Amino acid sequence: MTASPQVSAGDETELLAAFDAVIERHERIEPRDWMPERYRSTLVRQIAQHAHSEIIGMQPEGNWIARAPSLRRKAILLAKVQDEAGHGLYLYSACETLGVSRDELTRMLIEGRQKYSSIFNYPTLSYADVGTIGWLVDGAAICNQVPLCRTSYGPYGRAMIRVCKEESFHQRQGYELLATMMRGTDEQRAMVQESVDRFWWPALMMFGPPDADSPNTEQSMAWGIKRDTNDELRQKFVDMSVPQAKALGVTFPDPALVWDEDRGHHDFGQPDWDEFTQVVKGGGPCNAQRIAHRARAWDDGAWVREAATAFAQADA
Ligand code: FAQ
């Protein structure tokens, strides 16, 4: 990581005032602008975690490419998984503008010093999971990421615009897949319901811990990095998903899920937060497998990186 240029205390007060004024006006901080070190490290943490999620997130669905039930489904799934790789690349590039290289970020992921989304530590046990991931996981991702298009750091917000457009296609393809299965046999309908039952709670965990237990939300909101709290986005996702589930003909595994007329929102139960902590700490069903796979792919690609570097130097 590169260090920020040295500035005197007096300069720093002025720089901080200018930074605060940009945030106050809801304008953008750009890579060459001065920024407080904690703003920079918070962005590196969040953007890197987001980039790692996109790359690790290729694995659960990638598991089904060779077993897709038709050529059409295979082509769609291939394109979707490839899009996630693209999202990872935009996000690593955004992170590099903060003075940290992609090599360092990947090392931090593999060594367990940076996180990725808990959701990708759950297995994909049936083909319906491809549809459920598209509908609920990409759906949750959109809910979380549309506000990030207005995040205060320019390169992150601009990357999010394209990511969100693609995620919205992903969500629709997932919904279409499930709708097709729901028009099929009883066995297919049962497969969809079983998949939704497994993914509902982990999808709610994607928004992070409840606000009262979220150490980063307050400061990230004050800096305009996050535009909504974890609980606000979770509520939005539940409200958005309930009518979609009804149209699809599936239910969510939550007896507490009910429309609250007074609030104008759905009430719902809490995910198992102990399970969330376990998964984030590395103890989920697939954590070890996901990181081992990523480490193997990184090692296998070493010759490509070396060849590309040698080629670039020879060309210079
Ligand atoms: N998993 O204080 P907060 C996708 C950590 S979408 C793991 O609330 P913050 C698309 C958090 O890092 C998925 N860890 O933290 C796709 C912090 O630990 P730290 C990726 C989690 O940052 C679809 C601690 O808990 N999306 O990939 C999780 O203010 C299909 C305390 O939490 C993004 O990353 C979790 N679920 O809020 C791809 C969106 N939640 O870092 C393939 C951008 C929290 O201090 C297929 N990120 N933690 O050690 C964000 O919006 C935020 O970072 C939150 C967390 C909302 C995730």
Side-chain angles (χ1 to χ4, degrees), residues 45-47 49-58 61 80 84 87 115-120 133-134 137-138 140-141 144-145 148 156 163 167 170 202 205-210 213-217 220 226 230 233 276 280:
R45 180 183 64 77
Q46 178 165 329
I47 303 172
Q49 170 166 335
H50 196 164
H52 298 326
S53 303
E54 300 282 357
I55 299 298
I56 296 276
M58 295 165 73
E61 289 171 285
K80 197 234 181 215
E84 310 297 359
H87 298 174
K115 298 185 166 79
Y116 60 92
S117 181
S118 50
I119 190 75
F120 302 117
I133 289 179
V137 175
D138 285 277
N144 169 275
Q145 290 168 25
L148 291 175
Y156 190 26
V163 169
E167 299 289 26
H170 295 169
M205 294 175 193
M206 287 175 70
F207 297 95
D213 302 322
S214 163
N216 300 299
T217 293
S220 288
K226 284 167 82 163
N230 300 356
L233 293 172
F276 171 76
V280 171

Side-chain angles (χ1 to χ4, degrees), residues 215-281:
N216 300 299
T217 293
E218 194 181 343
Q219 181 60 75
S220 288
M221 298 272 290
W223 277 328
I225 294 175
K226 284 167 82 163
R227 294 292 182 193
D228 302 274
T229 73
N230 300 356
D231 286 335
E232 284 165 359
L233 293 172
R234 200 172 357 256
Q235 178 75 64
K236 199 168 169 187
F237 175 67
V238 171
D239 289 341
M240 177 182 109
S241 301
V242 169
Q244 294 173 356
K246 201 164 169 214
L248 204 53
V250 296
T251 56
F252 293 131
D254 179 0
L257 183 60
V258 52
W259 176 252
D260 182 329
E261 195 64 52
D262 294 340
R263 288 200 311 123
H265 291 290
H266 293 87
D267 294 335
F268 57 98
Q270 285 297 304
D272 178 344
W273 292 115
D274 291 339
E275 175 183 316
F276 171 76
T277 308
Q278 258 319 99
V279 174
V280 171
K281 281 203 309 210

Side-chain angles (χ1 to χ4, degrees), residues 21-160:
V22 171
I23 300 290
E24 182 83 7
R25 292 197 300 271
H26 297 286
E27 288 173 3
R28 286 251 155 103
I29 302 293
E30 295 296 340
R32 289 196 182 88
D33 295 340
W34 182 90
M35 60 187 84
E37 177 50 29
R38 276 216 313 128
Y39 175 82
R40 195 190 70 83
S41 62
T42 298
L43 280 168
V44 169
R45 180 183 64 77
Q46 178 165 329
I47 303 172
Q49 170 166 335
H50 196 164
H52 298 326
S53 303
E54 300 282 357
I55 299 298
I56 296 276
M58 295 165 73
Q59 292 184 38
E61 289 171 285
N63 176 37
W64 284 94
I65 291 172
R67 292 176 289 158
S70 68
L71 183 58
R72 176 172 177 265
R73 291 291 169 199
K74 185 170 179 146
I76 294 170
L77 185 54
L78 261 176
K80 197 234 181 215
V81 172
Q82 217 164 13
D83 281 353
E84 310 297 359
H87 298 174
L89 299 187
Y90 315 148
L91 288 162
Y92 283 129
S93 299
C95 213
E96 284 182 308
T97 66
L98 293 156
V100 48
S101 74
R102 197 177 305 181
D103 280 16
E104 284 174 275
L105 294 168
T106 305
R107 255 197 306 277
M108 286 195 270
L109 168 70
I110 289 171
E111 290 167 8
R113 289 184 285 133
Q114 282 183 338
K115 298 185 166 79
Y116 60 92
S117 181
S118 50
I119 190 75
F120 302 117
N121 292 307
Y122 291 87
T124 42
L125 304 177
S126 78
Y127 199 74
D129 290 356
V130 170
T132 307
I133 289 179
W135 174 38
L136 294 180
V137 175
D138 285 277
I142 294 168
C143 242
N144 169 275
Q145 290 168 25
V146 166
L148 291 175
C149 296
R150 292 180 289 107
T151 193
S152 59
Y153 188 57
Y156 190 26
R158 288 189 286 276
M160 278 300 105

